[in-house]
């Protein structure tokens, strides 16, 4: 689903810019929640486990994670795949009897 949404956004961005309506920027962040701790999956491994993040809701209702890395998407879906692959390599995973690559966490894109 994430792939389709981002592909749609990239297509809309390209179309709108071609017809001269306006310019858009697309950025992507990956956040993991593991044992009630938030991790920025786009950081290097050492930084990833040391940096503590928090989540909060602004007065206008917007939910934000201050300090969360944002990767700019400038080359289309190639960038999307590169960024998501980088983040997925940083997730907490471990083998269980049922699943070799089980995760006890939630990844938010």
């Amino acid at each position: 689903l994430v792939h389709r949404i981002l592909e749609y956004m990239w297509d809309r961005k390209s179309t709108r810019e071609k017809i001269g309506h306006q310019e858009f920027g697309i950025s992507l962040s990956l956040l993991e929640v593991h044992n009630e701790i938030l991790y920025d999956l786009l950081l290097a491994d050492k930084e990833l486990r040391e940096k503590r993040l928090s989540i909060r809701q602004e007065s206008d209702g917007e939910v934000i994670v201050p300090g969360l890395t944002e990767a700019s998407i400038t080359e289309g879906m190639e960038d999307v795949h590169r960024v998501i692959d980088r983040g997925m390599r940083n997730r907490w995973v471990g083998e269980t009897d049922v699943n070799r690559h089980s995760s006890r966490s939630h990844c938010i894109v």
Side-chain angles (χ1 to χ4, degrees):
L1 185 59
V2 169
H3 176 81
R4 287 184 183 174
I5 291 169
L6 291 168
E7 192 169 40
Y8 173 80
M9 288 173 63
W10 185 260
D11 288 344
R12 289 286 294 174
K13 173 189 181 313
S14 299
T15 301
R16 304 275 300 184
E17 288 177 350
K18 281 180 188 173
I19 58 176
H21 283 275
Q22 59 193 133
E23 289 189 29
F24 293 91
I26 297 175
S27 62
L28 189 60
S29 298
L30 275 84
L31 172 73
E32 179 179 48
V33 181
H34 178 74
N35 289 334
E36 299 184 23
I37 299 173
L38 306 176
Y39 296 99
D40 185 337
L41 293 178
L42 297 183
L43 293 177
D45 191 49
K46 186 175 190 294
E47 294 175 297
L48 171 72
R49 302 301 171 211
E50 291 178 355
K51 184 175 182 180
R52 293 292 180 237
L53 298 171
S54 60
I55 190 167
R56 71 172 192 246
Q57 187 172 11
E58 299 287 280
S59 59
D60 64 359
E62 180 183 12
V63 176
I64 63 168
V65 178
L68 185 63
T69 303
E70 290 186 13
S72 292
I73 304 301
T74 59
E75 301 297 322
M77 294 309 292
E78 298 84 21
D79 273 356
V80 169
H81 293 294
R82 180 183 51 76
V83 170
I84 290 177
D85 287 347
R86 186 170 110 207
M88 294 309 251
R89 284 192 303 271
N90 287 329
R91 292 190 71 199
W92 288 92
V93 293
E95 190 172 328
T96 67
D97 291 338
V98 178
N99 186 342
R100 187 173 191 162
H101 299 284
S102 180
S103 176
R104 297 290 180 255
S105 65
H106 302 280
C107 180
I108 302 166
V109 178

